[in-house]
């Protein structure tokens, strides 16, 4: 069987460019005992992948030059020599950036057929971004009814779920996004105050106006100025959930730290970074609660879709200019 895949041709300096990627055709080998042939339907691109393009140690190994990239994918089993998998099964894997692949059944997760939920939801609201939002907010942020929760990057795959869960937990939600359209969508799903950080003028003033008594929880997807503003507006004992800092991912020199970091001491703040893999044991609980919310119409989502494996680099590069609302996906 022939398949196409995207390989990392060179390591980006600054913002990734098309020249860093290469589209290649490959012939898949035959199946050994325990193997499964999968044709991907959907693949994910995510900001964390930028970190894997550096040749440096991190919480996951760097991508290897001239090898196919990796990332979340949802596909259909075409052929199986592994117990527990049959043709037609829906599976998730980390074998994204390719149209099809052969892998051991142990590297796959069979997905439930959730009534009324499209397959691609397992890449977003029911996948890694959804778990990141749910576990990060509830396990680290620990919002209480009546709290004010500030979410940066709130129209993205993670931030949009955080904002809605915070609302469901009885919190006032202040959210930032980069276009009026994104802010309008956030308001449509119940966000109390949506701020277009590109046009609001002084971001600190905008957050103060939305949260005059300060914020109790900050869920950070952006870093930079947003982190400084959150520190300035934090109430004593506020909890900072450090999920991502996309504003610095393409920096070619270390970004300056928050100028007001001294607020951590005077306000007795808790700042905790996390990687979603630390909270993977909560996946069953997450799926149960999230699917109930979806069935009740309490959680909604949007997505941005590129068509075809050749468009995967465009989808990835678009993350850094805010080209997506909700989850950025590639349909294969």
């Amino acid at each position: 069987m022939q398949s196409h895949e995207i390989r990392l041709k060179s390591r980006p300096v600054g913002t990734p460019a098309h020249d860093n990627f290469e589209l290649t055709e490959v012939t898949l080998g035959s199946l050994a005992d325990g193997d499964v042939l999968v044709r991907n339907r959907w693949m994910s691109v995510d900001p964390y992948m930028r970190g894997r393009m550096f040749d440096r140690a991190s919480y996951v190994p760097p991508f290897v030059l001239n090898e196919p990239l990796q990332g979340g994918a949802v596909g259909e089993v075409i052929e199986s020599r592994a117990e527990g998998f049959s043709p037609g099964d829906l599976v998730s894997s980390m074998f994204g950036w390719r149209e099809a692949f052969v892998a051991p059944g142990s590297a796959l997760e069979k997905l439930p057929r959730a009534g009324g939920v499209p397959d691609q939801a397992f890449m977003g609201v029911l996948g890694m971004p959804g778990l990141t939002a749910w576990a990060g907010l509830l396990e680290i942020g620990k919002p209480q009814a009546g709290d004010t929760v500030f979410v940066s990057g709130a129209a993205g795959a993670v931030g949009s779920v955080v904002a809605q869960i915070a609302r469901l937990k009885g919190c006032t939600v202040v959210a930032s996004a980069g276009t009026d359209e994104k802010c309008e969508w956030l308001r449509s799903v119940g966000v109390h105050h949506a701020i277009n950080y590109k046009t609001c003028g002084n971001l600190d003033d905008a957050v103060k106006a939305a949260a005059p008594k300060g914020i109790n929880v900050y869920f950070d997807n952006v870093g930079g100025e947003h982190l400084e503003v959150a520190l300035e507006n934090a109430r004593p004992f506020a909890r900072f959930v450090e999920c991502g800092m996309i504003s610095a991912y393409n920096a070619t020199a270390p970004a300056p730290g928050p100028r007001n970091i001294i607020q951590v001491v005077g306000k007795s703040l808790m700042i905790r970074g996390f990687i979603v893999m630390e909270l993977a044991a909560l996946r069953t609980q997450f799926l149960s609660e999230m699917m109930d919310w979806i069935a009740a119409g309490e959680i909604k989502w949007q997505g941005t879709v590129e068509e075809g494996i050749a468009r995967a680099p465009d989808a990835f590069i678009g993350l850094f200019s805010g080209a997506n609302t909700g989850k950025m996906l590639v349909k294969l």
Side-chain angles (χ1 to χ4, degrees), residues 188-205:
S188 77
V189 297
V191 166
H192 302 90
H193 305 280
I195 299 168
N196 183 341
Y197 70 91
K198 293 183 178 179
T199 62
C200 69
N202 186 290
L203 180 60
D204 183 55
D205 288 345

Side-chain angles (χ1 to χ4, degrees), residues 24-88:
T24 304
E25 184 175 30
V26 296
T27 301
L28 301 180
S30 57
L31 278 64
D33 287 342
D35 282 350
V36 180
L37 170 63
V38 176
R39 178 182 292 118
N40 280 332
R41 294 182 177 179
W42 298 89
M43 59 159 278
S44 174
V45 294
D46 301 282
Y48 83 87
M49 295 175 178
R50 179 64 183 89
R52 296 191 67 186
M53 293 178 183
F54 294 106
D55 187 13
R56 66 187 181 197
S58 185
Y59 61 91
V60 285
F63 290 130
V64 178
L65 288 178
N66 302 311
E67 293 289 338
L69 293 147
Q70 300 168 344
V74 167
E76 179 183 352
V77 172
I78 303 302
E79 182 182 349
S80 175
R81 293 186 62 182
E83 185 176 352
F85 295 93
S86 302

Side-chain angles (χ1 to χ4, degrees), residues 3-330:
S3 175
H4 292 91
E5 61 189 26
I6 300 290
R7 299 181 178 182
L8 186 65
K9 184 178 178 182
S10 59
R11 300 196 184 279
V13 177
T15 303
H18 290 93
D19 288 347
N20 299 125
F21 303 91
E22 182 178 39
L23 177 65
T24 304
E25 184 175 30
V26 296
T27 301
L28 301 180
S30 57
L31 278 64
D33 287 342
D35 282 350
V36 180
L37 170 63
V38 176
R39 178 182 292 118
N40 280 332
R41 294 182 177 179
W42 298 89
M43 59 159 278
S44 174
V45 294
D46 301 282
Y48 83 87
M49 295 175 178
R50 179 64 183 89
R52 296 191 67 186
M53 293 178 183
F54 294 106
D55 187 13
R56 66 187 181 197
S58 185
Y59 61 91
V60 285
F63 290 130
V64 178
L65 288 178
N66 302 311
E67 293 289 338
L69 293 147
Q70 300 168 344
V74 167
E76 179 183 352
V77 172
I78 303 302
E79 182 182 349
S80 175
R81 293 186 62 182
E83 185 176 352
F85 295 93
S86 302
D89 285 346
L90 191 69
V91 296
S92 68
S93 75
M94 287 300 292
F95 296 103
W97 297 85
R98 63 204 84 190
E99 294 172 322
F101 62 90
V102 173
S106 59
L108 309 176
E109 178 189 4
K110 187 186 293 188
L111 295 173
R113 295 287 185 173
V117 177
D119 296 345
Q120 61 267 36
F122 290 101
M123 292 281 88
V125 67
L126 291 175
M128 181 269 287
L131 177 60
T132 301
W134 181 89
L137 179 64
L138 300 183
E139 291 295 309
I140 300 173
K142 299 186 182 301
Q144 305 297 314
D147 281 353
T148 295
V149 177
F150 177 33
V151 187
S152 60
V158 173
S160 60
V161 178
V162 171
Q164 293 179 78
I165 295 174
R167 172 184 56 78
L168 287 168
K169 295 299 181 180
C171 300
T172 297
V173 183
V174 179
S176 71
T179 70
D180 289 342
E181 291 77 15
K182 291 177 180 181
C183 289
E184 185 59 36
W185 183 79
L186 287 167
R187 295 185 192 99
S188 77
V189 297
V191 166
H192 302 90
H193 305 280
I195 299 168
N196 183 341
Y197 70 91
K198 293 183 178 179
T199 62
C200 69
N202 186 290
L203 180 60
D204 183 55
D205 288 345
V207 173
K208 276 186 169 64
K213 295 182 180 180
I215 62 174
N216 304 95
V217 179
Y218 174 50
F219 197 103
D220 193 8
N221 293 298
V222 174
E225 181 187 9
H226 278 79
L227 179 54
E228 289 192 351
V229 167
L231 287 165
E232 198 64 33
N233 287 276
R235 291 179 55 80
F237 304 103
R239 288 85 68 197
F240 278 48
V241 185
E242 295 299 322
C243 176
M245 295 188 180
I246 196 171
S247 66
Y249 287 0
N250 294 315
T252 56
R259 294 167 295 182
N260 56 346
I261 193 67
I262 194 171
Q263 300 276 19
V264 174
V265 179
K267 295 181 177 181
S268 301
L269 304 180
M270 188 282 290
I271 300 182
R272 162 80 193 279
F274 78 104
I275 305 301
V276 69
M277 291 182 291
E278 301 167 18
L279 304 170
L282 299 172
R283 179 166 167 75
T284 300
Q285 183 182 347
F286 151 71
L287 283 174
S288 175
E289 187 165 25
M290 186 63 71
M291 291 178 79
D292 286 346
W293 280 333
I294 290 172
E298 297 284 2
I299 294 283
K300 303 183 187 301
W301 66 90
Q302 284 190 323
T304 302
V305 176
E306 295 282 0
E307 298 268 355
I309 188 70
R311 295 287 295 174
D314 297 271
F316 177 69
I317 293 167
L319 292 172
F320 302 101
S321 61
N324 59 304
T325 299
K327 187 76 189 78
M328 179 73 91
L329 291 170
V330 180

